[in-house]
């Protein structure tokens, strides 16, 4: 009787444990694992600094930033645009000067040609039947060509034959500033201040950052965390749960705290999570794609038959 264990190799059945073990050792198949909580950004943390926001603001797309961090990002992008714009203007000015120089050279060339044709005082003496270009050279230079042909230098290392290095062209910079997360245009005036409601627990003496439950819904007082979908009311900046919006606010579209009339654009869903591993909390599974081995039915039957023959041979030998 064969051994009943995970690593039993004498069994006729290819167990699930052996399949997973062989897939991990061979490097084929898809390896997936669930991302831990420490790899996901908290819902109240800045998308740039990944730290809890001291002065939170939100974009129209629902991405939360610390006001200091996002304004520093916008100012740095504006400074970068101004620097690139100065370089581009310098390049345009150089191109205009080059075009003007070429135009002046072309005008001077036409003027010299006109003067040369009008000047018939001195004529060159050339042999009968030969032009001035075909006159043999008398400069004493060594050349392997004659009859006025231009001397060609096939050697690429000669300085006159080497290509000249040209300065890379600078494209006109884009004056728009884009969100570092969504990639959509971003303006400082579009940022909306967010007001979180603190959890009032007199027994909890911990600091705000050390607390596990820091904020709650402004209407229902439900605890907010990464597992609870939230939204920001644009008019006041209060953070409420999606469940509160669906069951309370959307009935009359009136703000529960100020009795103001709301519209669909005044409700901004708060984007949760977002790290280098997962974009949102809805997908916290990292997968490593590997090449898969495809075995056709005929090959599988042949492999299975060879395995059975091998077992019969072992029984005969024993």
């Amino acid at each position: 009787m064969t051994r009943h264990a995970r690593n039993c190799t004498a069994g006729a059945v290819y167990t699930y444990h052996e399949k997973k073990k062989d897939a991990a050792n061979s490097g084929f198949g898809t390896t997936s694992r669930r991302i831990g909580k420490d790899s996901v950004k908290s819902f109240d943390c800045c998308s740039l600094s990944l730290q809890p926001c001291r002065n939170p603001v939100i974009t129209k797309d629902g991405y939360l930033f610390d006001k200091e961090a996002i304004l520093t990002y916008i100012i740095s992008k504006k400074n970068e645009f101004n620097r690139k714009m100065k370089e581009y203007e310098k390049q345009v000015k150089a191109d205009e000067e080059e075009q003007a120089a070429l135009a002046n050279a072309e005008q001077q060339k036409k003027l010299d040609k006109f003067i040369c044709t009008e000047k018939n005082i001195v004529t060159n003496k050339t042999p009968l039947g030969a032009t001035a270009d075909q006159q043999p050279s008398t400069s004493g230079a060594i050349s392997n060509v004659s009859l006025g042909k231009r001397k060609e230098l096939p050697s690429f290392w000669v300085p006159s034959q080497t290509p000249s290095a040209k300065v890379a062209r600078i494209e006109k910079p884009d004056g728009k500033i884009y969100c570092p997360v969504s990639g959509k245009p971003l303006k400082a005036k579009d940022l909306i201040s967010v007001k979180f409601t603190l959890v009032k627990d007199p027994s909890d003496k911990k600091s705000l950052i050390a607390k596990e439950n820091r904020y709650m819904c402004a209407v229902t007082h439900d605890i907010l965390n990464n597992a609870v979908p939230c939204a920001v009311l644009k008019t006041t900046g209060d953070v409420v749960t999606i469940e509160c919006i669906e069951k309370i606010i959307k009935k009359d579209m009136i703000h529960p705290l100020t009795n103001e009339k709301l519209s669909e654009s005044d409700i901004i869903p708060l984007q949760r999570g977002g790290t280098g591993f997962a974009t949102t909390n809805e997908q916290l599974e990292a997968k490593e794609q590997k090449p898969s081995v495809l075995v056709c039915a005929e090959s599988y039957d042949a492999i299975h038959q060879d395995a059975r023959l091998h077992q019969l041979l072992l029984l005969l030998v024993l």
Side-chain angles (χ1 to χ4, degrees), residues 219-243:
V219 178
T220 62
H221 290 186
D222 293 335
I223 301 299
L224 303 181
N225 51 44
N226 278 8
V228 179
C230 307
V232 177
L233 301 179
K234 184 178 179 180
T235 55
T236 59
D238 291 310
V239 181
V240 296
T241 60
I242 296 295
E243 184 179 5

Side-chain angles (χ1 to χ4, degrees), residues 189-207:
K189 64 180 182 180
D190 295 336
L191 298 176
I192 303 165
S193 298
V194 177
K195 184 171 61 177
F196 286 105
T197 305
L198 296 174
V199 176
K200 299 177 182 179
D201 188 2
S203 62
D204 194 354
K205 302 299 182 180
K206 296 180 181 179
S207 62

Side-chain angles (χ1 to χ4, degrees), residues 135-141:
Q135 191 173 2
S137 176
T138 58
S139 61

Side-chain angles (χ1 to χ4, degrees), residues 88-100 169:
Y88 177 76
E89 291 175 354
K90 185 178 179 181
Q91 175 183 275
V92 171
K93 186 177 179 180
D95 292 343
E96 292 176 355
E97 293 178 355
E98 184 179 356
Q99 293 293 333
R169 302 289 299 176

Side-chain angles (χ1 to χ4, degrees), residues 164-284:
S164 59
K166 297 182 179 179
V167 181
R169 302 289 299 176
I170 302 175
E171 299 293 336
K172 186 176 182 180
D174 189 1
K176 294 182 180 179
I177 298 175
Y178 297 93
C179 177
V181 181
S182 63
K184 296 181 180 180
L186 176 66
K187 295 181 180 180
K189 64 180 182 180
D190 295 336
L191 298 176
I192 303 165
S193 298
V194 177
K195 184 171 61 177
F196 286 105
T197 305
L198 296 174
V199 176
K200 299 177 182 179
D201 188 2
S203 62
D204 194 354
K205 302 299 182 180
K206 296 180 181 179
S207 62
L208 183 62
I209 297 179
K211 290 181 180 180
E212 184 177 356
N213 300 325
R214 295 192 286 265
Y215 303 112
M216 63 181 180
C217 175
V219 178
T220 62
H221 290 186
D222 293 335
I223 301 299
L224 303 181
N225 51 44
N226 278 8
V228 179
C230 307
V232 177
L233 301 179
K234 184 178 179 180
T235 55
T236 59
D238 291 310
V239 181
V240 296
T241 60
I242 296 295
E243 184 179 5
C244 173
I245 292 175
E246 296 293 338
K247 294 183 178 180
I248 300 175
I249 297 178
K250 281 195 174 180
K251 288 184 178 180
D252 300 323
M253 292 304 291
I254 296 177
H255 198 296
L257 303 178
T258 61
N259 293 328
E260 296 179 9
K261 191 67 177 178
L262 298 176
S263 61
E264 290 292 339
S265 60
D266 293 333
I267 301 174
I268 304 175
L270 183 63
Q271 301 292 338
R272 301 171 294 155
T275 63
F277 298 97
T279 56
T280 60
N281 288 348
E282 297 176 358
Q283 183 179 359
L284 301 181

Side-chain angles (χ1 to χ4, degrees), residues 17-191:
H17 175 74
E18 292 175 346
K19 181 179 179 182
K20 298 289 289 184
K21 183 179 178 181
D22 293 342
N25 295 333
S26 63
F28 294 101
T30 302
T31 303
S32 61
R33 64 184 183 91
R34 188 171 178 83
I35 298 300
K37 182 180 178 181
D38 55 344
S39 300
V40 181
K41 180 183 74 67
S42 180
F43 74 99
D44 60 336
C45 291
C46 174
S47 299
L48 283 176
S49 63
L50 304 181
Q51 298 297 324
C53 297
R54 292 181 295 179
N55 191 3
V57 292
I58 194 173
T59 63
K60 293 181 178 180
D61 300 320
Y63 293 100
L64 190 71
F65 295 98
D66 189 81
K67 191 172 184 179
E68 181 180 358
I70 191 62
L71 290 181
T72 303
Y73 170 80
I74 292 174
I75 292 173
S76 64
K77 287 297 181 182
K78 286 185 177 180
N79 293 337
E80 183 180 356
F81 167 74
N82 293 333
R83 178 181 58 81
K84 291 184 177 179
M85 196 64 187
K86 288 181 180 178
E87 295 179 357
Y88 177 76
E89 291 175 354
K90 185 178 179 181
Q91 175 183 275
V92 171
K93 186 177 179 180
D95 292 343
E96 292 176 355
E97 293 178 355
E98 184 179 356
Q99 293 293 333
L102 291 176
N104 293 335
E106 186 69 21
Q107 189 69 20
Q108 186 65 28
K109 185 178 179 181
K110 292 180 180 180
L111 181 61
D112 294 342
K113 186 177 180 181
F114 175 76
I115 294 174
C116 184
T117 54
E118 294 293 330
K119 203 173 185 181
N120 295 324
I121 300 175
V122 180
T123 58
N124 295 327
K125 295 182 179 180
T126 57
L128 185 61
T131 61
D133 294 337
Q134 296 175 347
Q135 191 173 2
S137 176
T138 58
S139 61
I142 300 175
S143 175
N144 57 351
V145 295
S146 60
L147 299 178
K149 292 184 179 180
R150 187 178 65 85
K151 183 173 68 172
E152 296 181 359
L153 299 175
S155 301
F156 63 88
W157 58 84
V158 178
S160 61
Q161 294 296 108
T162 56
S164 59
K166 297 182 179 179
V167 181
R169 302 289 299 176
I170 302 175
E171 299 293 336
K172 186 176 182 180
D174 189 1
K176 294 182 180 179
I177 298 175
Y178 297 93
C179 177
V181 181
S182 63
K184 296 181 180 180
L186 176 66
K187 295 181 180 180
K189 64 180 182 180
D190 295 336
L191 298 176

